[in-house]
Amino acid sequence: MFDSLSGRMTGVFDRLRTRGALSEADVAEAMREVRLAMLDSDVALPVVKDFINRVRERAIGAEVLESISPGQAVAKIVNDALVEALGGAGAVPLNLNAAAPIPILMVGLQGSGKTTTAGKLGLRLGGRERRRVLLASLDTQRPAAQLQLAQLAQRAGVASLPIVAGQTPVQIAQRAMETGRREGYDIVILDTAGRLSIDEALMEEVRQIRAVTNPAETLLVVDAMTGQDAVNTARAFNEAVGVTGIVMTRMDGDARGGAALSMRHITGAPIKLTGSGEKLDALEDFHPERVAGRILGLGDLAGLVEKASDTLDAEESEKLALKMLRGKFDLDDYAAQIKQINKMGSISGILDMLPGMGQMKSQLAGKDLDTSVLKRHTAIISSMTKSERRTPDIIKASRKKRIAAGSGATVQEVNRLLKQFDDMSTMMKRINKLGAKGLMRQGLGALMPKGMMPQGGPGGGRGPGQRPH
Amino acid sequence: MALGFFSRLKEGLSRSTQKLGGNIAAVFTRRRLDDAALEELEELLIAADLGPAVAGRVIDEFRRTRFGNEVTDEEVRVALSAEVARVLEPVAIPFVPDPALKPHVVLVVGVNGTGKTTTIGKMALQYGRAGVRTILVAGDTFRAAAVEQLQIWGERVGAPVIAGAPNADAAGLAYQAFERARAEGADLLLIDTAGRLHNKGALMEELAKIIRVLRKFDETAPHSVLLVLDATTGQNAIEQVRVFKEMVNISGLIVTKLDGSARGGIVVALAEAFGLPVHAVGVGEKAEDLRPFRAADFARGLVGDSVRLTASQPSADPET
């Protein structure tokens, strides 16, 4: 569903870009699409309306209509406004300017990821920043919640407040702060029970906790998959306890994360951190400009380029690219390429960042896209002779058998690899035909031959993509 | 349990109701149903997480039949409620363990934090009370203290909990539990699993493996695969359901946290997109707060209180 939208968005901006002059109707049409894109990404309706109004005002201003390519200007306005709405460029750090022990209060709905985030925060502050951290769970509601935080603290290598049965959350909070003072902790992270924003009794409780601890940061933890309700949650928590920062969790899912926009808009508090995995180190600073692209389905080219330049060997890449362009790309080059891709992390992560890849991504959804497939491919290729790698066409039945046996794979897997390589070569040829300009215009999605997609259904059920680690 | 069901569900849904209901009243008290009005109504539906497609269809229906008429909020509520109920009616199918299976094996799956363990606890209590011999399996061997969480539920409801070592293989554990449940003649085996995002292929494959291993013991197992879905989830729920359905062939949905301010309109979009049975809804933290899902009640709850007062609206719930 998102892909068609993403395609639509790209289409709208493309149409605008190619126009010389821009009428108000053109802008209105573009705004309609932006509005839909945002709603489909779960940006809350009031936030969408406000956003659209602001963009429209700017878009029909003189500077746009007089600019040389008005379409480009509108696209830029949308993007800039989105980044701005998400908090402007650059990450906002946690505020730790308070006397030790510095209390950090975690609040949010049930199941939003507060306890896991508290553990991650413990690891970050205790490990990377070398602070003395005490984790305390005030969750007396959910069974074993306190134990969960204690176990996470142990994993993170920080202390946790001993569990005393029968204490109320407010009492635990007081005990945590006392312990923090007495034992010289720098930071006390207070994890609270999940609560519904409409539960008056529990909201009053968190108000009291706030009153007795006076936290330097009150972090609202929000699931990136949250729908329109994000507005209500944000408003209720902000009114009750005064949110100072937001943590978006499950950013590693495929939700577009429109809730991020709603949160920022309603609370005025910056998004400070994002959670993107179950491991304790999967806590990252928030980059508005990247989420902006994700919300509109426009990809995160900046992030990709950055990631690529961080990890890729430029010389090697250039050599490969040259070979591709000359149509002299062989299996050795493919193995080299795999090595490079491996350095960049998961393929789906990379696809996320590419514009126009929505279609492909959806066809890959649910399939194992992690790099274990590539490891298999590397193994298979390393079981080939030099001449086989240079001219894969000579690989027939008996060679396949030998290669399969040598790499611990099946003949089917060898077949699949060869097929994929063949498809890739076809793709290279298309790139050559389209040229760089055509590529930019049509997006990478246009290049993908059908064969590149993993086959769904029972036949492909045991494909290399289905293998567990 | 039948008595007062409606009012309890209602209570749970009342916030969402007031919000959506109030908005409709504001828009439609004696007003001509023109383009502007239709657009506003469409937005209200979208804001309830119904999804653009469903919202659009309802609006098209209104445009076709009522465009230009003077309508009241009451008429809008009734029509909307009927439309929502029509979509939901076919999927309102309660979960009934088959007593002949001994045990009826249920795999409970979902993304992180939707309420799988809590739902299992609630189910164990309800079926335990009804005399169904239930065994719980702490298949979330990954998350810290997930096993203990289920064990506490087991103690509360008096159901045995089968657990393994931390990070043990969930599939092996499920197999052992199945063997034991069969040997002990249990009626219902509820298998908890670790939360997993649907876009993580390796984790989804792990789920498929649990099913493969269960089938080694009995080819018909698991007899049900229930996806627990958080009502606050937005449009991503569609992708969630699609992938889980494809990977582990889910047989039904349970929608949790409907007592919050979330309106759960996504259920309507899901019903339309997949037609999967919605077995139950969670409307509170108490064990009794897991309720069978009933289309008419849900639709009326979603649309607004005053619909109940309309004489022309027959009660679709025979038990109330």
Side-chain angles (χ1 to χ4, degrees):
Chain A
M1 59 180 290
F2 290 151
D3 331 313
S4 62
L5 192 69
S6 160
R8 232 161 54 212
M9 287 300 307
T10 319
V12 168
F13 286 127
D14 278 351
R15 274 199 302 282
L16 286 181
R17 264 186 206 114
T18 52
R19 288 272 175 82
L22 214 57
S23 70
E24 246 176 74
D26 293 334
V27 175
E29 167 66 16
M31 288 309 107
R32 219 176 57 79
E33 297 286 343
V34 172
R35 173 181 168 275
L36 254 178
M38 293 178 88
L39 286 173
D40 250 341
S41 309
D42 291 322
V43 181
L45 188 62
V47 182
V48 174
K49 284 181 138 179
D50 188 74
F51 179 85
I52 297 290
N53 281 340
R54 262 186 299 153
V55 171
R56 188 179 283 132
E57 255 169 48
R58 280 191 230 174
I60 53 182
E63 61 181 302
V64 173
L65 298 177
E66 281 166 18
S67 73
I68 301 164
S69 60
Q72 198 113 30
V74 172
K76 189 175 180 320
I77 287 174
V78 171
N79 196 59
D80 289 353
L82 211 48
V83 172
E84 197 184 291
L86 284 164
V92 182
L94 285 178
N95 169 28
L96 298 175
N97 295 323
I102 306 163
I104 299 178
L105 183 64
M106 318 286 297
V107 299
L109 300 178
Q110 288 96 338
S112 56
K114 290 176 296 303
T115 306
T116 304
T117 304
K120 289 177 179 179
L121 211 48
L123 179 73
R124 169 185 275 225
L125 296 173
R128 206 166 81 186
E129 304 193 6
R130 308 205 149 277
R131 308 268 192 149
R132 289 199 69 213
V133 179
L134 178 68
L135 292 183
S137 169
L138 319 185
D139 187 350
T140 55
Q141 299 269 327
R142 185 164 58 93
Q146 291 177 289
L147 187 63
Q148 184 188 352
L149 189 67
Q151 289 183 4
L152 287 172
Q154 203 174 5
R155 266 189 231 166
V158 298
S160 65
L161 189 72
I163 299 170
V164 176
Q167 281 198 319
T168 66
V170 175
Q171 287 168 335
I172 300 173
Q174 282 166 329
R175 182 161 60 90
M177 293 315 294
E178 277 160 26
T179 307
R181 271 188 290 271
R182 201 175 51 237
E183 299 180 12
Y185 283 100
D186 299 322
I187 293 165
V188 178
I189 300 175
L190 303 160
D191 180 29
T192 61
R195 62 203 73 224
L196 295 166
S197 55
I198 57 165
D199 189 327
E200 272 311 318
L202 282 179
M203 289 307 272
E204 177 53 34
E205 179 195 274
V206 79
R207 240 176 254 133
Q208 283 174 24
I209 293 167
R210 190 181 192 285
V212 300
T213 56
N214 192 21
E217 283 278 11
T218 302
L219 299 177
L220 176 62
V221 181
V222 184
D223 187 332
M225 297 184 287
T226 308
Q228 297 285 327
D229 185 53
V231 180
N232 305 325
T233 301
R235 190 171 292 133
F237 276 97
N238 197 37
E239 280 169 11
V241 290
V243 172
T244 61
I246 287 155
V247 183
M248 297 294 294
T249 61
R250 307 207 178 103
M251 291 293 280
D252 50 334
D254 55 6
R256 295 272 206 89
L261 201 59
S262 313
M263 288 293 151
R264 179 79 175 82
H265 183 92
I266 301 289
T267 62
I271 299 167
K272 295 198 166 171
L273 297 162
T274 59
S276 55
E278 301 194 46
K279 296 209 181 84
L280 277 180
D281 58 359
L283 185 72
E284 281 149 23
D285 295 328
F286 176 73
H287 294 279
E289 60 280 11
R290 297 180 189 177
V291 175
R294 179 164 161 167
I295 288 176
L296 288 181
L298 295 176
D300 175 17
L301 272 182
L304 181 62
V305 169
E306 185 182 286
K307 199 165 189 180
S309 59
D310 272 1
T311 46
L312 293 188
D313 179 342
E315 218 170 293
E316 180 79 359
S317 305
E318 210 158 295
K319 231 165 59 193
L320 285 177
L322 224 82
K323 275 189 167 176
M324 282 186 194
L325 287 177
R326 289 184 188 143
K328 285 188 179 158
F329 190 73
D330 63 22
L331 278 166
D332 264 330
D333 301 319
Y334 179 50
Q337 200 191 24
I338 287 177
K339 231 197 228 158
Q340 298 239 353
I341 290 175
N342 261 329
K343 283 195 228 158
M344 285 183 62
S346 78
I347 299 188
S348 53
I350 297 173
L351 286 184
D352 255 349
M353 296 176 167
L354 287 172
M357 290 300 270
Q359 186 72 22
M360 171 149 178
K361 174 107 164 120
S362 85
Q363 275 166 288
L364 294 172
K367 305 282 192 298
D368 189 353
L369 260 185
D370 51 28
T371 39
S372 60
V373 189
L374 299 178
K375 260 187 225 151
R376 311 277 309 153
H377 281 186
T378 313
I380 294 171
I381 293 173
S382 59
S383 286
M384 296 178 183
T385 66
K386 268 189 186 155
S387 55
E388 282 167 350
R389 286 180 224 173
R390 227 166 296 136
T391 41
D393 285 347
I394 63 170
I395 303 176
K396 303 285 183 232
S398 86
R399 283 180 193 262
K400 281 178 189 167
K401 255 189 233 163
R402 194 205 75 240
I403 293 164
S407 57
T410 61
V411 172
Q412 284 80 13
E413 279 177 282
V414 178
N415 277 333
R416 224 172 277 131
L417 166 69
L418 292 173
K419 169 89 171 69
Q420 195 169 328
F421 178 74
D422 196 49
D423 288 336
M424 233 163 103
S425 308
T426 314
M427 191 171 95
M428 305 298 166
K429 281 173 198 143
R430 282 201 212 179
I431 295 184
N432 286 341
K433 245 191 224 158
L434 275 173
K437 267 189 192 163
L439 186 61
M440 290 320 282
R441 207 175 315 123
Q442 304 197 10
L444 283 174
L447 289 169
M448 297 294 159
K450 286 217 168 66
M452 272 296 280
M453 314 294 182
Q455 304 299 308
R462 291 295 308 157
Q466 300 284 313
R467 220 155 254 282
H469 295 288
Chain B
M1 199 160 90
L3 206 77
F5 160 76
F6 179 71
S7 57
R8 298 198 66 154
L9 179 65
K10 196 75 179 190
E11 201 182 311
L13 286 170
S14 63
R15 285 294 161 147
S16 25
T17 298
Q18 277 163 20
K19 192 86 194 253
L20 182 59
N23 281 345
I24 288 178
V27 177
F28 283 105
T29 310
R30 290 181 188 286
R31 178 165 170 186
R32 181 167 291 277
L33 201 58
D34 52 14
D35 278 322
L38 286 171
E39 192 180 318
E40 278 178 64
L41 183 58
E42 183 172 12
E43 288 185 345
L44 293 177
L45 295 179
I46 289 171
D49 278 328
L50 256 75
V54 181
R57 210 173 37 68
V58 174
I59 298 311
D60 286 346
E61 182 70 11
F62 268 60
R63 188 187 301 278
R64 208 165 53 76
T65 57
R66 294 182 176 78
F67 190 76
N69 290 342
E70 289 273 340
V71 289
T72 64
D73 63 319
E74 205 55 28
E75 284 172 296
V76 171
R77 283 173 207 263
V78 172
L80 182 59
S81 154
E83 178 61 23
V84 170
R86 198 183 60 75
V87 178
L88 293 177
E89 206 62 68
V91 300
I93 302 167
F95 174 72
V96 184
D98 183 348
L101 290 170
K102 291 219 172 283
H104 185 124
V105 179
V106 180
L107 193 64
V108 181
V109 303
V111 301
N112 318 62
T114 56
K116 287 176 292 300
T117 307
T118 307
T119 299
I120 287 179
K122 289 174 177 177
M123 285 174 80
L125 183 85
Q126 293 188 1
Y127 290 113
R129 275 183 189 161
V132 178
R133 293 199 49 212
T134 306
I135 292 180
L136 312 180
V137 186
D140 183 354
T141 53
F142 181 80
R143 207 203 69 199
V147 171
E148 288 84 350
Q149 186 183 349
L150 193 70
Q151 277 168 338
I152 293 172
W153 269 106
E155 278 166 34
R156 271 189 204 171
V157 307
V161 177
I162 298 175
N167 294 317
D169 175 34
L173 181 70
Y175 184 91
Q176 285 168 18
F178 193 6
E179 260 182 338
R180 189 177 138 189
R182 174 70 45 92
E184 293 181 6
D187 299 310
L188 185 60
L189 187 69
L190 297 174
I191 305 172
D192 193 9
T193 63
R196 65 201 73 223
L197 287 171
H198 51 282
N199 62 339
K200 306 248 162 136
L203 294 179
M204 293 304 286
E205 172 59 24
E206 232 174 67
L207 267 189
K209 181 184 165 194
I210 295 179
I211 293 178
R212 277 201 305 277
V213 170
L214 283 172
R215 284 192 179 146
K216 284 188 184 159
F217 187 71
D218 179 346
E219 253 180 50
T220 64
H223 308 104
S224 305
V225 181
L226 304 182
L227 178 75
V228 179
L229 190 80
D230 184 333
T232 54
T233 311
Q235 299 306 304
N236 189 245
I238 293 172
E239 195 55 19
Q240 237 177 72
V241 172
R242 192 185 68 72
V243 175
F244 270 99
K245 187 166 181 274
E246 199 179 293
M247 290 297 287
V248 294
N249 196 22
I250 48 180
S251 60
L253 305 175
I254 292 178
V255 182
T256 60
K257 303 181 203 172
L258 263 173
D259 48 333
S261 48
R263 307 181 205 174
I266 193 67
V267 176
V268 184
L270 287 173
E272 201 170 64
F274 300 101
L276 277 169
V278 182
H279 292 312
V281 293
V283 292
E285 305 215 323
K286 291 193 290 282
E288 310 75 65
D289 291 332
L290 186 71
R291 315 247 133 218
F293 175 79
R294 291 181 194 171
D297 293 347
F298 185 89
R300 275 178 293 182
L302 195 75
V303 171
D305 277 335
S306 65
V307 173
R308 222 166 12 147
L309 305 173
T310 320
S312 63
Q313 191 76 358
S315 171
D317 183 356
E319 289 174 85
T320 47

